[in-house]
Amino acid sequence: GAVVSQHPSRVICKSGTSVKIECRSLDFQATTMFWYRQFPKQSLMLMATSNEGSKATYEQGVEKDKFLINHASLTLSTLTVTSAHPEDSSFYICSAKGDSYYGYTFGSGTRLTVV
Amino acid sequence: AQKVTQAQTEISVVEKEDVTLDCVYETRDTTYYLFWYKQPPSGELVFLIRRNSFDEQNEISGRYSWNFQKSTSSFNFTITASQVVDSAVYFCALSESTTDSWGKLQFGAGTQVVVTP
C-alpha cells in the first residue's frame, strides 16, 4: 500500500514555456502533499506544502507565481513551473502524507530540463 | 541553522566491508521523527526506517542497523557486509512536531556511498 505516482518522469521544455507535474496517491487519501526540489549532488529542499482544498504554503525564497501548486483533491496535487528558464532545471519530487499513519510516501521524481 | 548534519560527503568501501553513516540532528521538540532514505542513481527515494523520539531502541533489519542516541542527538546507520547494490546516496531526515514544522521533512546533505567489487 501507500503508493504515489508522479509523472512525467522526465521532461524537456523550451525556455519560456510552462510544465505541469502531477503527483497522485493511488491507494490512500493524501491530506498533505509536499514538493521538493533537488539540484545535482545536493540535498532535497522543501518548496511548498499543500493541503487539500487550501492554498499551498511556500518556503522562504520560493516564488509562488513561478511554482504554482494545486491540491484540488485528496489524491492529486500538481506543480506547474511557469515560464521555465534553464535555472529551473532540476529534479522535482513530491511526497504525500495521509492521516492514517505517520509516514511519507515519495513519488519517483521528475527530471526537468529547460533548454 | 542546519537541523540535520551528515558530515560525511562520500564514503568508499570495498565489497563486504562495513560502513557507518553519521547523522546528527538538532531540535528543541520533545516529539520528533527521524528517517533514513536511500537514493540510488535512478533518483527515487527508498524509505529505510522511521524512528520516533521516544523509542531509543536500536534496530536491525538484515544487513542494516541503526543506532539512535538522544544524549548525543545522533542517529547513525550501519551497513554490514556492504554490496555493490548499496552504492547510493543516503539521506537522514528529521520531522518536528511544532505547528509550522509538522510533517515537513528536513534532509541532511546526504552521504554518497560507493561500494567497489
Side-chain angles (χ1 to χ4, degrees), chain A residues 1 3 12 16 23 27 31 34 37-38 40-41 45 55 57 62-64 66-67 71 81 89 97 108:
Chain A
V3 176
I12 300 173
C23 182
D27 50 3
T31 50
F34 305 89
R37 178 169 56 184
Q38 184 181 30
K41 298 193 181 299
M45 298 300 295
K55 289 184 178 180
T57 303
V62 177
E63 300 175 60
K64 306 179 183 183
K66 180 163 195 60
F67 299 101
H71 191 167
V81 183
S89 298
K97 180 180 176 303
S108 54

Side-chain angles (χ1 to χ4, degrees), chain B:
Chain B
Q2 191 169 7
K3 302 260 186 175
V4 180
T5 302
Q6 293 180 256
Q8 304 148 307
T9 305
E10 180 170 328
I11 301 176
S12 294
V13 296
V14 177
E15 214 170 14
K16 296 185 183 176
E17 289 184 341
D18 297 348
V19 56
T20 296
L21 285 64
D22 298 332
C23 174
V24 175
Y25 62 92
E26 178 187 329
T27 180
R28 293 182 181 177
D29 287 359
T30 55
T31 302
Y32 53 89
Y33 293 81
L34 294 163
F35 301 77
W36 275 96
Y37 288 90
K38 173 182 179 180
Q39 187 177 42
S42 57
E44 81 274 17
L45 281 178
V46 178
F47 168 80
L48 297 178
I49 191 171
R50 179 184 79 242
R51 249 309 174 253
N52 74 54
S53 51
F54 299 107
D55 183 1
E56 279 195 81
Q57 279 194 332
N58 291 330
E59 178 144 345
I60 298 175
S61 175
R63 295 184 297 107
Y64 295 166
S65 62
W66 291 270
N67 185 337
F68 179 24
Q69 302 248 349
K70 286 179 74 171
S71 59
T72 56
S73 296
S74 65
F75 186 41
N76 297 338
F77 171 37
T78 297
I79 304 173
T80 303
S82 61
Q83 300 176 2
V84 173
V85 293
D86 296 326
S87 296
V89 179
Y90 291 85
F91 289 100
C92 180
L94 165 72
S95 180
E96 297 172 297
S97 62
T98 56
T99 303
D100 62 346
S101 299
W102 185 246
K104 298 179 184 180
L105 276 178
Q106 300 173 78
F107 286 86
T111 299
Q112 171 79 59
V113 172
V114 178
V115 183
T116 53

